[in-house]
Amino acid sequence: MQASVINIEKIRKDFPILERKVHKDKPLVYLDNAATTQKPVQVIEAISNYYLNYNSNIHRAVHELAEEATAAYELTRDKVAKFINAPRREEIVFVRGTTEAINLVAYTWGRQNVGKDDIIVTTEYEHHSNIVPWQLLAKEKGARIEYVGVDDGGQLMLEQLDRYLETGRVKLVTFSQMSNVLGTISDSEEIVRRCKARGVRVLVDGAQSVPHMKVDLQRLGCDFFAFSAHKMLGPTGVGVLWARRDLLEGMVPFNGGGDMIREVHKYETTWNDLPYKFEAGTPNIADVIGFGAAIDYLEAIGMDRVREHEVEITRYALEKLSEIKGMKIYGPMDAGKRGGVISFNLGDIHPHDLATIIDEDGVAIRSGHHCAQVLMERLDVSATSRASFYIYNTKDEVDVLVRALNRARELFRI
Ligand code: 7TS
């Protein structure tokens, strides 16, 4: 195995799934990490340990199991706050994922603050989860959605943002810190700075950035931030909405029910303190605890090294993929300016055919529109293939990908 800034050999031992074979005898080469990452035994054990030893509901009972479960659940909140350098732990709201976090903001803050003829600005490289909730809100309120375009190098055209901001009608700017298709890392601090200069609120979709680079919310200075645990070694069904305390305090609850109330009377209810006002009902206790173990795992490696490893493997993959005849790669070609996500098309092979052929060689990639049809339209394609890397991927696996793609190319006589 080639050397890396992180000890991949040791890391891979924590992921038994990476040992499995597919199609009878092909070693699995898992390159679909932008969709979801694999989980280390430490995360799986944290979840089973909860169910085996202290399964209990939280925040409600005084018995020992409930106290242990509550402490473990709340400890993850502290870990999350530290991991993204959030100013206050009560600003961390556990939700099901990025999608739910964005919907929460649209349905509460959005309904309270966006009105007729207001503008919501998003970008052409957003995931559907950062477009559709705003379309629903805009339709309901008679507001408008505008898009910051993507240039041919895969970068956002920020002069368009300025034009929208100059109208004085923009209520919210929302964008992904890292594109799940192009891998482009947005110039987030600059975007936030321009919005703040006009007093405009900013939501940042961190679904692809938080797992792969150090994110510092206090530096970033946005108002809302969303991400998912399952893209960073954690379980599915858990995510985070972070928002500044004053905003959360002004927002109406998203769901009504247990735990989010202080007092309920026949016709009047008062709300619990933050963040519980936004965590109605029994939450996903086991998976929040598992998420805490995922954060511990990443902290132990160090996010700077996670990023360094990805730059290295992405640089290598860009170089090797570019050598394949008929290859078209989308997004920035400089590995230092992008995450470990590479979308491409090979000749006129349909991405689904390509993914199916290389799956026979054990290589798992994603094909399709990646929930980014607005971007597909901009790129003038119906779909792309996408390989995406994480801490356990090696350059040897990139070589397997390249060999498999060459086999597909020969099959299609390109
Ligand atoms: N935002 C971005 C930038 C994403 O990449 C995704 C998921 C989401 C939001 C939604 O996250 P969820 O956890 O709520 O589903 N992206 C992908 C993907 O690229 N392939 O599968 C899911």
Side-chain angles (χ1 to χ4, degrees):
M1 204 172 283
Q2 287 135 323
S4 169
V5 287
I6 60 179
N7 189 344
I8 307 184
E9 227 160 317
K10 179 164 171 282
I11 287 171
R12 287 181 75 91
K13 290 203 175 80
D14 293 328
F15 295 82
I17 200 169
L18 298 177
E19 294 300 310
R20 70 160 283 182
K21 306 276 194 286
V22 290
H23 299 294
K24 281 205 193 109
D25 60 348
K26 300 290 190 315
L28 170 68
V29 174
Y30 185 78
L31 301 179
D32 193 16
N33 294 288
T36 198
T37 65
Q38 300 301 341
K39 324 301 174 199
V41 284
Q42 289 83 345
V43 168
I44 298 165
E45 279 168 6
I47 296 167
S48 65
N49 182 39
Y50 160 75
Y51 282 127
L52 288 169
N53 293 307
Y54 61 104
N55 172 55
S56 173
N57 212 326
I58 56 167
H59 299 148
R60 289 157 198 218
V62 294
H63 57 78
E64 185 159 329
L65 262 54
E67 282 184 2
E68 286 175 15
T70 303
Y73 178 89
E74 290 301 331
L75 184 60
T76 299
R77 205 185 304 277
D78 293 324
K79 289 177 183 176
V80 170
K82 182 168 161 278
F83 192 67
I84 55 175
N85 196 24
R88 285 168 283 268
R89 76 182 303 281
E90 67 270 24
E91 296 170 337
I92 306 292
V93 178
F94 287 122
V95 290
R96 282 190 297 143
T98 308
T99 303
E100 190 174 59
I102 296 171
N103 276 277
L104 192 160
V105 177
Y107 278 92
T108 59
W109 182 89
R111 277 189 175 154
Q112 288 172 275
N113 290 282
V114 174
K116 192 165 159 23
D117 298 329
D118 284 342
I119 298 175
I120 300 158
V121 177
T122 182
T123 86
E124 281 182 343
Y125 64 44
E126 295 313 301
H127 187 275
H128 294 163
S129 62
N130 204 16
I131 292 178
V132 183
W134 308 116
Q135 288 177 341
L136 290 168
L137 177 68
K139 286 227 164 73
E140 183 180 314
K141 296 290 185 177
R144 228 167 71 212
I145 299 199
E146 297 288 0
Y147 290 83
V148 176
V150 177
D151 69 19
D152 291 340
Q155 304 287 346
L156 293 176
M157 299 195 276
L158 293 192
E159 63 284 2
Q160 295 184 356
L161 172 69
D162 294 336
R163 283 215 303 279
Y164 299 132
L165 289 173
E166 277 159 20
T167 63
R169 301 271 356 161
V170 178
K171 278 290 162 70
L172 179 78
V173 172
T174 180
F175 66 96
S176 170
Q177 198 168 20
M178 188 191 289
S179 158
N180 70 322
V181 177
L182 302 174
T184 313
I185 298 173
S186 306
D187 194 354
S188 313
E189 284 177 33
E190 176 58 22
I191 297 173
V192 173
R193 194 189 61 73
R194 292 188 195 190
C195 295
K196 291 286 130 184
R198 303 249 176 196
V200 171
R201 300 276 182 229
V202 190
L203 185 152
V204 178
D205 174 349
Q208 295 294 343
S209 55
V210 177
H212 303 281
M213 58 197 236
K214 181 105 200 83
V215 169
D216 181 335
L217 287 194
Q218 297 194 45
R219 249 188 93 141
L220 184 55
C222 60
D223 299 293
F224 304 101
F225 192 88
F227 62 105
S228 303
H230 71 96
K231 294 185 196 287
M232 49 188 290
L233 309 179
T236 51
V238 180
V240 170
L241 168 68
W242 171 85
R244 283 212 331 270
R245 185 168 60 193
D246 57 315
L247 289 168
L248 288 172
E249 274 167 355
M251 280 153 62
V252 291
F254 184 37
N255 292 314
D259 233 27
M260 51 76 71
I261 52 87
R262 183 182 306 286
E263 280 180 37
V264 178
H265 303 285
K266 266 189 173 164
Y267 305 105
E268 284 300 326
T269 292
T270 50
W271 314 132
N272 200 346
D273 294 333
L274 294 175
Y276 310 108
K277 174 178 147 188
F278 293 101
E279 292 183 9
T282 301
N284 190 351
I285 304 164
D287 292 320
V288 166
I289 292 169
F291 184 23
I295 292 175
D296 291 344
Y297 196 95
L298 288 171
E299 295 262 36
I301 298 172
M303 290 311 291
D304 290 340
R305 286 201 289 168
V306 168
R307 170 79 185 129
E308 232 179 293
H309 166 68
E310 277 182 37
V311 171
E312 197 179 298
I313 198 162
T314 305
R315 182 171 295 131
Y316 183 74
L318 286 170
E319 189 189 305
K320 294 287 163 190
L321 290 171
S322 307
E323 289 167 3
I324 299 176
K325 198 175 145 208
M327 173 61 65
K328 162 103 183 122
I329 295 173
Y330 302 96
M333 288 307 286
D334 177 352
K337 293 202 168 118
R338 62 182 297 155
V341 177
I342 305 180
S343 284
F344 56 90
N345 271 312
L346 183 52
D348 55 3
I349 310 177
H350 193 281
H352 288 317
D353 293 337
L354 191 60
T356 307
I357 292 166
I358 73 168
D359 176 56
E360 290 166 5
D361 294 330
V363 184
I365 60 163
R366 177 82 182 257
S367 58
H369 54 61
H370 316 289
C371 300
Q373 285 187 320
V374 170
L375 180 63
M376 294 296 120
E377 268 176 31
R378 163 67 184 85
L379 298 176
D380 200 19
V381 293
S382 60
T384 70
S385 297
R386 181 187 71 182
S388 52
F389 311 112
Y390 210 29
I391 47 173
Y392 33 70
N393 289 123
T394 65
K395 289 181 185 168
D396 295 342
E397 289 181 310
V398 173
D399 293 339
V400 178
L401 166 70
V402 169
R403 273 200 300 278
L405 291 172
N406 273 317
R407 187 174 74 83
R409 184 179 57 75
E410 280 159 20
L411 275 175
F412 279 83
R413 299 178 199 287
I414 290 166

